[in-house]
Amino acid sequence: MSWETVIGIEVHVQLRTATKMFCRCSSEYGAPPNTNVCPVCLGLPGALPVPNQGAVDLAIRAALALGCEVHERSEFVRKNYFYPDLPKGYQITQFAHPLATEGTVVMREDGEERRVRIRRLHLEEDAGKSMHDRYAGSTAVDLNRAGVPLVEIVTEPDLRSPAEARAYLSRLKQLLEHFAAVSDCNMEEGSLRADANLSVRPTGETQLGTKSEVKNLNSFSNVEKALVFERERQIGMLERGEEVASETRLFDLSAGETRPLRGKEEDFDYRYFPEPDLVPLEVSAATVDTARKALGELPHELETRLMDQYQLSEYDATLLSARPSRAAYFEAVAGGQDTAFAKTTANFLMGGIAAELNRRPGAAAEQDLLSPDCLARLVELRLDGTLSSDTASQALGLLLAGEGQDVDELVQMHGLAQVGDVDQLAGWVDEVLEAHPDELARYADGEEKLFGFFMGALMRTAGGKADPNKVRELLVERLAAARD
Ligand code: ADP
Ligand code: ZN
Ligand code: MG
């Protein structure tokens, strides 16, 4: 029997506001424990929550980036449960009337678009943090995180493999971090946390199987690993005739397996009821409209346009679209130029420039390394043959090392221009043939593969600056003469 895997993902994302969701405490990460707290987020009697407009605006942007419908009226509720890191005894969240519903995230792979439906996006506050490894034998509680604004984003069960779940998370992070710019999506700091739901069913079956949920996965690769394990575990059970339990499980990275945490809680366990201290959240159509206009192209639209307009491969277009700032930089260099220019620009961007960005800590962008005009000139010199691929890389290296922004001057100062002058090239050919009499004799005896050896020696002698086509012609001539 063959099995189909069905996956749905729930993600919590911390919005990048300066202050918490319902009070003015700082939402900064990493402050000393329990210093960013006040009567509201500590849940002291009589304290009243006031919604953070900045958080609402970011949540609207996030919802629009996921193609959701944003509702003009949504409602906050209390989700009641007891836990040491939840001083109020309830979490303010949204339930029956969320901020946004019915979105789509479009992914792209091997020339095909994959659409994942978003069921809902709602606003809520985070709980505090329990730390079990700080003091031996006891648990410490840090309430700095209590009350920071989150959006929860829930997909329909549309994903069909652990790898696809991972691809969805990357796309989601790209959308939220770079396109909507609503969160730093830093998984180590917990700004993006994923819970993964998985079930399996016989191929062809339309009813969903019983799912398990794996909680609090803190990296994309752990999501994928946990789901691979879960898929095998469930298929194994079903094949032995056992039933999969509906339960919440934890992923143990060192053991590489998931373990039961608790039985599945039901919605009624939380005794949801409307938050009596908050009126319904109203968002005008005009606000949504303005936010939509400010958002601009989404990644899949940008990728498609770059492929169409510049004849780039899906691979190139995808890498260039990783961040809107990168695509904008690319277009500042290659806009209005032909496809060869675009391709060469893309190569520089994804080669030497990307490597340099990786070496620099912090959020440097292409623009900070090299002006678009400067890169455009480099591309020109490469395309008209003044620079070889070797010397173009050298020139780029010098530019990135801050040795000037005038490309022509650098090329001249460092003698990087390709040499096409026949006399000079012939001189190098002589030099190389004289230095290697043995190889020359073997070549004359028919050892043809030594041609590559001579080419290599020549390029080294010429410091990478010989025009490879001209030098090849000369070498063919001279070697043929040596053989006669
Ligand atoms: P529950 O509240 O019972 O945990 P929900 O219907 O709220 O389940 O869905 C939670 C997440 O689990 C969603 O992302 C949804 O797409 C996914 N999901 C629901 N049912 C299944 C299933 N049978 N198999 C895989 N994923 C599922
Ligand atoms: Zn507070
Ligand atoms: Mg649910």
Side-chain angles (χ1 to χ4, degrees):
M1 166 137 37
S2 75
W3 300 93
E4 182 181 41
T5 308
V6 175
I7 298 169
I9 304 273
E10 297 163 277
V11 163
H12 288 90
V13 176
Q14 183 180 335
L15 298 171
R16 53 164 185 75
T17 53
T19 57
K20 294 188 181 181
M21 184 64 225
F22 298 111
C23 63
R24 288 191 180 163
C25 290
S26 165
S27 52
E28 185 203 349
Y29 178 86
N34 300 307
T35 52
N36 292 334
V37 291
C38 75
V40 175
C41 53
L42 289 174
L44 301 187
L48 290 173
V50 177
N52 180 337
Q53 182 67 51
V56 174
D57 290 341
L58 292 176
I60 293 170
R61 280 177 71 82
L64 293 172
L66 307 183
C68 287
E69 183 185 341
V70 177
H71 300 294
E72 289 193 26
R73 188 184 165 97
S74 61
E75 272 177 30
F76 290 108
V77 299
R78 290 185 180 182
K79 177 180 183 178
N80 299 280
Y81 65 99
F82 173 80
Y83 207 72
D85 62 21
L86 189 77
K88 292 205 294 272
Y90 59 85
Q91 174 194 30
I92 304 181
T93 178
Q94 299 190 306
F95 186 58
H97 304 284
L99 175 70
T101 54
E102 287 176 276
T104 319
V105 166
V106 186
M107 307 187 289
R108 181 193 302 286
E109 213 194 321
D110 300 331
E112 288 197 18
E113 287 192 349
R114 273 285 288 135
R115 308 176 91 80
V116 178
R117 290 171 299 157
I118 301 297
R119 180 182 291 176
R120 56 188 282 140
L121 176 149
H122 70 245
L123 259 169
E124 61 186 29
E125 59 177 343
D126 208 347
K129 205 147 100 185
S130 298
M131 286 169 294
H132 305 288
D133 51 4
R134 198 170 172 110
Y135 304 107
S138 26
T139 292
V141 175
D142 178 6
L143 294 174
N144 284 347
R145 203 180 66 183
V148 310
L150 302 177
V151 283
E152 179 175 331
I153 298 162
V154 183
T155 73
E156 294 293 342
D158 283 352
L159 297 154
R160 290 291 173 269
S161 70
E164 194 171 62
R166 181 180 186 155
Y168 162 74
L169 286 170
S170 312
R171 185 61 122 189
L172 187 69
K173 179 169 168 11
Q174 179 193 20
L175 277 160
L176 298 176
E177 183 179 358
H178 300 302
F179 284 73
V182 299
S183 172
D184 62 23
C185 293
N186 184 331
M187 290 190 89
E188 278 112 71
E189 295 182 359
S191 311
L192 191 161
R193 310 193 285 270
D195 306 333
N197 301 267
L198 180 144
S199 63
V200 296
R201 61 185 172 190
T203 305
E205 170 67 59
T206 52
Q207 296 262 54
L208 291 171
T210 304
K211 73 177 167 72
S212 59
E213 174 174 5
V214 189
K215 278 267 180 215
N216 278 331
L217 294 157
N218 63 357
S219 79
F220 293 171
S221 88
N222 287 351
V223 171
E224 192 175 353
K225 282 183 200 146
L227 287 173
V228 166
F229 178 87
E230 216 27 46
R231 175 176 64 187
E232 298 315 310
R233 186 185 71 86
Q234 290 190 16
I235 291 174
M237 289 182 80
L238 294 174
E239 288 188 337
R240 288 192 300 273
E242 298 166 24
E243 266 179 36
V244 172
S246 170
E247 65 188 356
T248 303
R249 301 176 69 88
L250 277 186
F251 182 55
D252 177 342
L253 179 59
S254 51
E257 60 184 32
T258 66
R259 279 202 286 270
L261 175 70
R262 56 174 184 250
K264 174 80 199 148
E265 58 290 292
E266 299 290 340
D267 289 339
F268 55 73
D269 291 332
Y270 291 116
R271 210 166 49 89
Y272 286 99
F273 61 84
E275 166 59 68
D277 292 335
L278 291 167
V279 295
L281 179 66
E282 301 207 343
V283 178
S284 75
T287 302
V288 175
D289 220 42
T290 310
R292 185 176 285 122
K293 288 198 180 98
L295 194 59
E297 269 174 316
L298 296 177
H300 69 282
E301 297 164 342
L302 181 56
E303 288 159 357
T304 306
R305 187 170 64 73
L306 293 182
M307 287 193 282
D308 290 349
Q309 194 170 331
Y310 299 95
Q311 304 297 304
L312 292 170
S313 66
E314 178 180 80
Y315 179 79
D316 287 350
T318 303
L319 287 178
L320 289 176
S321 304
R323 287 180 277 110
S325 64
R326 174 180 291 175
Y329 181 85
F330 166 78
E331 296 208 87
V333 177
Q337 304 283 354
D338 64 13
T339 56
F341 198 101
K343 176 64 186 155
T344 305
T345 305
N347 290 347
F348 278 119
L349 265 172
M350 274 130 37
I353 295 179
E356 181 65 24
L357 283 176
N358 283 338
R359 274 193 289 275
R360 299 198 185 198
E366 289 78 9
Q367 178 74 45
D368 307 325
L369 298 184
L370 197 62
S371 76
D373 285 349
C374 192
L375 180 56
R377 183 62 186 147
L378 192 62
V379 172
E380 259 168 33
L381 294 177
R382 173 71 190 101
L383 287 174
D384 73 10
T386 306
L387 297 175
S388 65
S389 80
D390 257 14
T391 55
S393 307
Q394 289 176 40
L396 180 62
L398 292 166
L399 289 164
L400 294 176
E403 303 236 345
Q405 290 269 311
D406 185 330
V407 185
D408 294 272
E409 197 179 284
L410 268 182
V411 166
Q412 202 177 12
M413 246 166 52
H414 293 264
L416 294 177
Q418 204 159 232
V419 175
D421 175 66
V422 179
D423 289 341
Q424 166 125 42
L425 293 176
W428 283 330
V429 171
D430 288 341
E431 205 177 303
V432 164
L433 295 184
E434 272 164 33
H436 301 286
D438 294 348
E439 284 81 1
L440 185 57
R442 279 159 55 200
Y443 184 88
D445 281 346
E447 212 177 312
E448 303 249 336
K449 65 176 198 304
L450 281 172
F451 187 83
F453 164 81
F454 288 117
M455 269 304 278
L458 231 150
M459 291 312 269
R460 269 193 305 282
T461 303
K465 286 184 294 182
D467 179 326
N469 293 324
K470 288 193 179 152
V471 103
R472 178 181 301 275
E473 266 173 42
L474 279 175
L475 195 59
V476 167
E477 251 172 53
R478 290 293 309 275
L479 287 173
R483 191 174 270 182
D484 294 337

